[in-house]
Amino acid sequence: MMPSPTAPSPHIASFLDADTSTFTHVVWDTPGGRAAVVDPVLGFQPASGQTTLAPLQPVLALLREQGLTLDWILETHAHADHLSAAPMLQRLAGGRIAIGRHITAVQATFKQQLNLGPDMPTNGQPFDHLFDDGEAFEIGGLRAQAWHVPGHTPADLAYVVGPAVFVGDTLFPPDVGTARCDFPGGDAQQLYRSARRLLALPDSTQLYMCHDYPSDGRAPRAWTSVAEQRQANIHVRDGLDEADFVALRRARDATLAPPRLVLPAIQVNIRAGHWPAPEADGRVYLKQPLLAPDWAAP
């Protein structure tokens, strides 16, 4: 989907949380207008359990400076590398928290794998809205559309806002490639097809990243163009077919360690960034399964 001739071009600002290498993007129609925030980050220290709103402060400052009303808080997927700040952002600035409809499958999977108990919903709650593939919505005067782009997880979405697309973990900058597909429900064939769907957009389309992990000393990049991705992406550039990608992605995934924050992040993010209910002592706890060594097995 591309903008009609009368649709305004989006204004976009991107903020990098260096601790998790995650970009949060703000997109708005006009100063004093309406906005959406994509993938807000909550600061979290796993050793102490300390949380902080520090990654959110520049986002809030921009909303104030531009006089923006927040309509949407858009999650591209249930992230495994950071905790979502969506409920805190909603409390401070408003907006509806949204994700793809297939989050229900992710909730069901991790409810079972982590034994999260009967209070863990599997119907998409407590997200405020679940997008279907191709569903259109508005950010003030901006026309937008949600695209289901599974592969990294079953529930990944990209958000198309005029000539800009917020791609989540479907694509990284060309020298980094694509996201892993070895999480529950991940599928390398699906990711290839999702990436090629995005790369069928016009060459000038700006693809906004959720992450960048530069290895050559370059600065992190918040966006790349379709043309650049088609020419240079090390995993899905033109000329690499689906079989090439699947073989490469599976070999790469076999070498990867779990993300540093995967267990706390998943438990929070499948709840739309909300924490589990407090226990009898009034404190909130996250689960950490233990894997016993062979000698300790019963």
Side-chain angles (χ1 to χ4, degrees):
M1 183 188 75
M2 297 302 293
S4 74
T6 59
S9 295
H11 299 269
I12 300 170
S14 303
F15 302 95
L16 178 66
D17 174 52
D19 184 56
T20 63
S21 301
T22 303
F23 284 105
T24 296
H25 306 287
V26 185
V27 53
W28 69 100
D29 57 355
T30 185
R34 320 293 291 199
V37 172
V38 184
D39 293 333
V41 176
L42 180 70
F44 177 68
Q45 295 300 320
S48 64
Q50 181 67 47
T51 60
T52 172
L53 293 181
L56 203 57
Q57 294 304 327
V59 174
L60 293 167
L62 178 70
L63 295 175
R64 290 192 299 267
E65 290 164 5
Q66 293 291 321
L68 299 172
T69 299
L70 185 60
D71 285 344
W72 292 100
I73 302 169
L74 303 173
E75 298 284 7
T76 55
H77 61 293
H79 308 272
D81 40 43
H82 69 271
L83 277 65
S84 171
M88 292 72 173
L89 177 58
Q90 184 179 57
R91 190 176 308 147
L92 293 168
R96 302 173 70 195
I97 303 172
I99 200 167
R101 185 166 301 280
H102 293 272
I103 189 63
T104 56
V106 180
Q107 288 177 326
T109 294
F110 285 102
K111 177 176 182 173
Q112 179 181 25
Q113 290 199 353
L114 296 175
N115 193 29
L116 296 179
D119 293 336
M120 175 63 226
T122 59
N123 61 354
Q125 294 180 351
F127 291 92
D128 298 314
H129 186 79
L130 304 181
F131 281 113
D132 292 311
D133 183 34
E135 183 176 343
F137 63 105
E138 295 180 348
I139 306 167
L142 300 173
R143 298 182 178 93
Q145 193 175 56
W147 283 15
H148 184 215
V149 286
H152 174 58
T153 80
D156 282 59
L157 283 189
Y159 296 102
V160 182
V161 186
V165 187
F166 302 90
V167 300
D169 280 11
T170 308
L171 291 166
F172 295 154
D175 58 333
V176 182
T178 60
R180 64 198 296 167
C181 298
D182 59 337
F183 295 146
D187 187 293
Q189 289 178 313
Q190 286 187 332
L191 184 61
Y192 179 84
R193 295 167 190 174
S194 295
R196 296 309 303 184
R197 180 184 184 186
L198 293 167
L199 298 183
L201 288 164
D203 282 353
S204 61
T205 304
Q206 295 179 341
L207 305 176
Y208 282 81
M209 309 287 100
C210 185
H211 301 288
D212 188 10
Y213 305 101
S215 59
D216 60 358
R218 65 166 174 80
R221 300 184 60 186
W223 66 273
T224 67
S225 70
V226 165
E228 185 179 4
Q229 292 279 5
R230 291 185 63 168
Q231 179 181 8
N233 188 288
I234 60 173
H235 295 163
V236 289
R237 66 182 180 272
D238 290 355
L240 294 177
D241 63 17
E242 183 175 301
D244 294 329
F245 174 78
V246 170
L248 185 155
R249 188 66 264 169
R250 289 177 177 169
R252 171 67 175 150
D253 289 349
T255 71
L256 298 178
R260 177 173 63 100
L261 297 180
V262 59
L263 289 172
I266 285 294
Q267 292 175 68
V268 168
N269 295 341
I270 61 175
R271 294 178 167 96
H274 293 277
W275 298 343
E279 297 193 11
D281 62 357
R283 302 179 69 185
V284 173
Y285 293 88
L286 298 172
K287 287 193 169 187
Q288 171 68 59
L290 293 180
L291 300 177
D294 291 342
W295 55 263

